[in-house]
């Protein structure tokens, strides 16, 4: 257990489904991140929230919609996905400002789009 | 400016050997250089990190060597073990900003 919890661990969804990924941290961090990890792109930054405001949206298709209701929780809402969206989705958190202490990652959600 | 280039993409080492992974960066404002280790089915975990005021940091069998003038840093795994088989990512950032990750190195240590 790393301090960042992601649910579900595995998800299989059809292209017409709507699902959500959840990330939770209780490390006192004030920034949270979504990464996509696939064989083609090992760590692809999707979204960044700092102090609950989205500060980065890395040209991600609109079928991915993030939500950060508070500094401890981050969601990734999925709808009408494509098979190429199948990947490991990683959440991470960190402190922002001042010296860096790196990111703490969750174990990820393995998403399969059928 | 923000790129971190990592090599090799994959590495096979015999048990007991030394594994060496290299990273190069362009942004001279970077002041924090961590390495992450990722096992299959898990997220990356912080392994060891260095700041540019030192040239080397050692934790057990893992050592970071840092060359500020060359803008390069490397991870050395001494006495490599099969349990070290994983994907390793280097990264860099400057204070308070996001990490920039390298492309990853898949290490296999053969028994």
């Amino acid at each position: 257990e790393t301090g960042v919890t992601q649910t579900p661990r595995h998800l299989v969804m059809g292209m017409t489904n709507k699902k959500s990924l959840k990330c939770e941290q209780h490390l006192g961090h004030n920034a949270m991140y979504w990464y996509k990890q696939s064989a083609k792109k090992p760590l692809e930054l999707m979204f960044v929230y700092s102090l609950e405001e989205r500060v980065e949206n890395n040209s991600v298709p609109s079928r991915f919609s993030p939500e950060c209701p508070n500094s401890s929780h981050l969601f990734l809402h999925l709808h009408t996905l494509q098979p190429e969206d199948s990947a490991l989705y990683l959440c991470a958190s960190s402190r922002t400002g001042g010296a860096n202490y790196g990111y703490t990652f969750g174990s990820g959600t393995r998403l399969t789009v059928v | 400016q923000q790129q971190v280039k990592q090599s090799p993409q994959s590495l096979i080492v015999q048990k007991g050997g030394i594994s060496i992974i290299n990273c190069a960066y362009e942004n001279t404002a970077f002041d924090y250089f961590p390495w992450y280790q990722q096992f299959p089915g898990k997220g990356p975990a912080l392994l060891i990190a260095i700041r540019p005021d030192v040239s080397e940091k050692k934790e057990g069998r893992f050592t970071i060597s840092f060359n500020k003038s060359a803008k390069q840093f490397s991870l050395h795994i001494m006495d490599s073990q099969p349990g070290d088989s994983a994907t390793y990512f280097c990264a860099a950032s400057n204070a308070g900003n996001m990490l920039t990750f390298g492309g990853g190195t898949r290490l296999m240590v053969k028994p």
Side-chain angles (χ1 to χ4, degrees), chain A residues 9 33 35 37 42-43 45 48 56 88 90 96-98 100-103 105-107, chain B residues 31-32 36 38 41-44 46 51 89 93-99 101 103-104:
Chain A
R9 290 297 311 276
Y33 311 81
Y35 281 85
Q37 188 171 51
L43 277 173
L45 179 64
V48 180
E56 184 90 7
L88 181 68
L90 291 163
T96 61
N100 267 308
Y101 297 92
Y103 294 177
F105 283 88
S107 294
Chain B
D31 63 358
Y32 177 70
Y36 284 80
Q38 183 180 24
K42 299 287 187 182
L46 180 63
R51 299 188 192 277
F89 293 94
S93 72
N94 53 308
N97 291 317
M98 292 188 298
L99 286 172
F101 285 92

Side-chain angles (χ1 to χ4, degrees), chain B residues 30-104:
Chain B
F30 284 150
D31 63 358
Y32 177 70
F33 302 89
W35 285 89
Y36 284 80
Q37 179 188 55
Q38 183 180 24
F39 294 108
K42 299 287 187 182
L46 180 63
L47 181 64
I48 186 172
I50 196 168
R51 299 188 192 277
D53 51 344
V54 296
S55 60
E56 187 175 282
K57 182 172 181 180
K58 185 176 180 180
E59 289 184 3
R61 296 184 294 109
F62 300 90
T63 300
I64 300 180
S65 297
F66 183 79
N67 186 331
K68 190 173 182 178
S69 61
K71 292 185 285 186
Q72 294 174 347
F73 58 110
S74 59
L75 176 70
H76 296 236
I77 306 174
M78 311 300 287
D79 187 26
S80 299
Q81 299 297 311
D84 297 329
S85 297
T87 300
Y88 293 81
F89 293 94
C90 64
S93 72
N94 53 308
N97 291 317
M98 292 188 298
L99 286 172
T100 299
F101 285 92

Side-chain angles (χ1 to χ4, degrees), chain A:
Chain A
E1 192 61 54
T2 66
V4 176
T5 303
Q6 288 188 244
T7 54
R9 290 297 311 276
H10 301 273
L11 178 63
V12 179
M13 61 185 288
M15 289 191 283
T16 58
N17 289 161
K18 287 185 180 182
K19 295 286 184 182
S20 295
L21 310 184
K22 180 181 176 182
C23 177
E24 187 172 354
Q25 62 91 8
H26 295 288
L27 300 170
H29 291 170
N30 54 11
M32 297 186 79
Y33 311 81
W34 279 117
Y35 281 85
K36 176 183 177 182
Q37 188 171 51
S38 61
K40 288 185 178 179
K41 292 188 179 182
L43 277 173
E44 186 180 357
L45 179 64
M46 300 177 72
F47 301 104
V48 180
Y49 277 83
S50 178
L51 300 172
E52 300 160 39
E53 282 192 34
R54 192 192 307 181
V55 296
E56 184 90 7
N57 179 344
N58 213 16
S59 302
V60 179
S62 60
R63 57 186 183 269
F64 295 92
S65 174
E67 179 190 1
C68 187
N70 55 61
S71 60
S72 298
H73 294 87
L74 183 66
F75 295 90
L76 188 62
H77 303 299
L78 317 171
H79 64 97
T80 59
L81 294 191
Q82 304 297 311
E84 61 264 29
D85 297 322
S86 297
L88 181 68
Y89 288 84
L90 291 163
C91 172
S93 69
S94 73
R95 282 183 249 177
T96 61
N100 267 308
Y101 297 92
Y103 294 177
T104 301
F105 283 88
S107 294
T109 295
R110 173 66 64 184
L111 173 67
T112 304
V113 181
V114 297

